[in-house]
Amino acid sequence: VTASDDIAISGVVAAITGTGQGGDINISSEGSIQAGQVRTDGGIGGLARLAARGDVQLESILAEGIDLGGFVVVNSREGDITVTGPIQTGSDNTDMTTVNFGRRTVPDPRLLGTVDIAGTASIQLGDVDASGIIEDPSVREVNINSRGGDITVGNIQAGSNDTGGLNDSGGFVDVASGGGRVVVGNINTQGPDGAGRVNVNAGTGTAIVGTVQADSLQTGGQVDIAAEGNVQVGDINAQGTALSGGQVNVFSDGDIVVDTVQTSSAQVAGDVDIASIGTVQLIEIDAQGGTAAGRVDVHSEDESVTVQNIVATSAQVGGVVDIGTPLDIQVGSIDTTGTDSGGSV
């Protein structure tokens, strides 16, 4: 559907029952787009692409698949983007080796299950579910970007369900605004072999995030959260149980409040870098490593630092903990014990 003016429709359905592939949906307008539910789900989800010069207002977008999820692209050149309900491109399948493609047309497998939302003004979305069995940590599984407005999103799921050994990594989540604040619920990029990367950036506003689960049985994912304003985050888990923890970076020109940060691993723990101009408050940082603990840096340029507990111990080499501020430092306990070599504070 293409129009030179506004488009208003109650809904669009190109879904298919059974194992077939959902049809492609392409809607383009030089005005605004207003629609109810957009559906292209099936055995393999289809493509849902909506582009407008003005506002885009939708109830939900369903492109999930029994075997493989589809992909969603929404962009507005000048208006707001609002999706009040869920965006779903996920799949419940747990083993890629069981998928029978037959004669179905499948795009670049790295695009399956992806969500790409881009605009220049505000973006308001419900929950986003892009979890599935084909995940590539080098590809933005969920990309939500505004050049100049606030972004508000529910929970984001981009983890991997695959137990068949094809690609067991979580997807890459990128939420960034160049001119507003960013508010996100919980973010999940877990995967059996590796967690996906998480990037949240509020260029000129605050960043508020629920919990971040970027942990894995093997390698934890990197977590980057930055804002020109304040940063407020719940728990950040980048644990890599068997191999290595992910690196966690939180930067702010304002204040930082984080509950807990975990980058531990049975081998090499991930590093933690927390830096702000304002105050820093954390409950606990756990950077324990079997062979090497992670390095922990917590700094405030102008205000105080408060951390209840820091653990950077190791069975071999303890970690380095560096806390810096021109004002007060309040720390409950710091442990950098290493059996072979202790760390430093």
Side-chain angles (χ1 to χ4, degrees), residues 101-169:
F101 289 99
R103 294 187 177 182
R104 285 176 285 177
T105 302
V106 179
D108 182 345
R110 297 181 306 166
L111 296 178
L112 288 170
T114 61
V115 175
D116 191 344
I117 312 290
T120 59
S122 72
I123 296 175
Q124 299 184 51
L125 310 175
D127 292 342
V128 176
D129 184 356
S131 58
I133 58 176
I134 294 184
E135 311 290 356
D136 187 337
S138 67
V139 173
R140 287 184 175 88
E141 189 76 11
V142 176
N143 178 39
I144 303 170
N145 184 278
S146 173
R147 288 197 305 237
D150 295 340
I151 297 176
T152 303
V153 190
N155 300 323
I156 299 176
Q157 295 276 350
S160 172
N161 303 325
D162 188 14
T163 59
L166 178 69
N167 190 340
D168 303 341
S169 297

Side-chain angles (χ1 to χ4, degrees), residues 21 26 41 72 87 139 160 169 183 239 258-259 288 307 321:
Q21 182 177 359
N26 290 280
D41 47 309
V72 169
I87 298 175
V139 173
S160 172
S169 297
V183 179
Q239 180 184 31
V258 180
D259 287 348
Q288 299 179 73
V307 186
V321 174

Side-chain angles (χ1 to χ4, degrees), residues 59-80:
E59 289 183 6
S60 61
I61 307 175
L62 307 181
E64 73 267 39
I66 298 171
D67 288 333
L68 299 171
F71 52 114
V72 169
V73 181
V74 180
N75 61 70
S76 170
R77 298 197 299 277
E78 298 176 2
D80 299 332

Side-chain angles (χ1 to χ4, degrees), residues 29 34 38 100 126 207 219 240 311 321:
S29 170
Q34 184 173 358
V38 176
N100 179 13
T219 304
V311 181
V321 174

